[in-house]
């Protein structure tokens, strides 16, 4: 049974099995939730957390304070949610669901169904509006945000190709629009949208798309 669901694609959120959003106010505690979410399935050490959050691998006291704050935020859930052995700390993958992990699992399975599910999970860039104010941590997140964006662009591109081949014009048009939201500079996708709009008998929309694309490319 999933006791805690963590969303990192788009806005950060943590919701318990009752549907209640957890209050995690401290920036270091939020950063720890993000880090453990991205590292689910691994066993991050106190030392590496100290290095990332405090710039000091020996900052065990500060890290223990942050872990204690996280325990408090999870106080109404089973102790099994957060596994803390004093040397490492991690979320228990058996009872904690993290959207980035499901996304990674789905993109590893090359089927139309899995690609569609992965696209549904990709609600936005990794932590699109999140900033911890911790320089090293935010730089670490920025690198991973770019990695996930590239994966998202690839998934939407593959889905778009499959939908066009199947003749599902409306869903293909929606997918192309979402793809352009991630990377508006893809001229080939703009052209694809125009063709789809013409297939749907919408020449005015295709002309507007052409003008928008021309304006974008001119600015770029």
């Amino acid at each position: 049974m999933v006791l805690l669901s963590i969303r990192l694609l788009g806005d950060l959120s943590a919701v318990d099995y009752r549907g209640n959003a957890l209050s995690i106010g401290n920036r270091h505690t939020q950063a720890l939730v993000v880090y453990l979410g991205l590292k689910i399935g691994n066993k991050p050490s106190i030392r590496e957390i100290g290095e990332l959050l405090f710039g000091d691998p020996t900052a065990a006291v500060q890290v223990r304070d942050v872990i204690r704050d996280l325990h408090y935020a999870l106080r109404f859930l089973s102790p099994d949610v957060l596994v803390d052995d004093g040397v490492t700390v991690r979320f228990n993958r058996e009872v904690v669901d993290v959207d980035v992990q499901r996304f990674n699992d789905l993109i590893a399975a090359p089927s139309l169904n899995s690609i569609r599910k992965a696209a549904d999970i990709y609600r936005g860039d990794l932590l699109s509006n999140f900033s911890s104010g911790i320089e090293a941590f935010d730089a670490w997140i920025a690198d991973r945000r770019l990695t996930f964006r590239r994966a998202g662009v690839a998934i939407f591109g593959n889905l778009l190709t499959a939908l066009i081949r199947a003749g599902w014009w409306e869903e293909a048009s929606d997918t192309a629009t979402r793809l352009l939201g991630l990377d508006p500079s893809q001229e080939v996708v703009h052209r694809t949208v125009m063709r789809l709009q013409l297939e749907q008998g919408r020449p005015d929309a295709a002309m507007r798309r052409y003008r928008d694309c021309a304006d974008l490319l001119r600015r770029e």
Side-chain angles (χ1 to χ4, degrees):
M1 176 182 178
V2 173
L3 300 179
L4 178 65
S5 297
I6 298 173
R7 183 171 118 179
L8 302 178
L9 292 169
D11 292 328
L12 170 65
S13 71
V15 179
D16 68 18
Y17 65 96
R18 306 179 192 91
N20 299 320
L22 300 185
S23 176
I24 307 171
N26 182 284
R27 65 174 183 166
H28 281 91
T29 310
Q30 290 178 349
L32 180 60
V33 169
V34 169
Y35 186 70
L36 297 183
L38 286 168
K39 289 284 187 175
I40 196 162
N42 298 314
K43 294 182 178 181
S45 70
I46 302 299
R47 288 183 61 85
E48 65 184 272
I49 294 170
E51 175 69 34
L52 190 59
L53 298 190
F54 297 98
D56 183 359
T58 66
V61 173
Q62 294 96 315
V63 174
R64 295 307 316 176
D65 286 341
V66 177
I67 294 173
R68 185 171 61 251
D69 288 342
L70 181 53
H71 275 296
Y72 182 77
L74 301 172
R75 64 192 180 281
F76 296 120
L77 296 177
S78 167
D80 294 340
V81 168
L82 190 65
V83 182
D84 176 8
D85 63 12
V87 177
T88 65
V89 60
R90 61 183 172 86
F91 282 129
N92 182 351
R93 189 173 179 177
E94 294 183 4
V95 295
V96 178
D97 174 75
V98 185
D99 60 352
V100 294
Q101 184 60 56
R102 282 189 287 117
F103 178 80
N104 284 333
D105 290 344
L106 286 166
I107 64 177
S111 72
L112 176 57
N113 188 47
S114 63
I115 291 173
R116 183 183 272 118
K117 288 180 178 179
D120 288 340
I121 291 173
Y122 202 98
R123 305 175 187 90
D125 283 337
L126 180 72
L127 301 165
S128 54
N129 297 310
F130 178 81
S131 175
S132 69
I134 304 168
E135 185 175 352
F137 180 80
D138 289 339
W140 183 78
I141 288 297
D143 286 342
R144 276 137 195 87
R145 183 178 294 125
L146 181 59
T147 297
F148 275 100
R149 173 176 281 202
R150 287 170 176 161
V153 167
I155 281 296
F156 282 110
N158 291 339
L159 179 58
L160 177 60
T161 299
L163 293 172
I164 291 173
R165 285 175 178 168
W168 297 335
W169 310 126
E170 186 171 350
E171 189 177 352
S173 182
D174 291 342
T175 299
T177 299
R178 292 184 66 188
L179 175 53
L180 290 173
L182 286 175
D183 186 0
S185 67
Q186 292 204 25
E187 184 180 355
V188 65
V189 181
H190 285 281
R191 293 201 303 268
T192 299
V193 172
M194 287 181 244
R195 287 198 298 270
L196 291 169
Q197 289 168 332
L198 290 173
E199 290 282 353
Q200 294 171 306
R202 301 165 57 200
D204 291 346
M207 181 57 73
R208 285 194 299 272
R209 171 63 62 180
Y210 167 77
R211 289 169 180 155
D212 290 343
C213 177
D215 288 344
L216 172 68
L217 295 177
R218 192 176 297 112
R219 288 196 303 272
E220 291 297 322

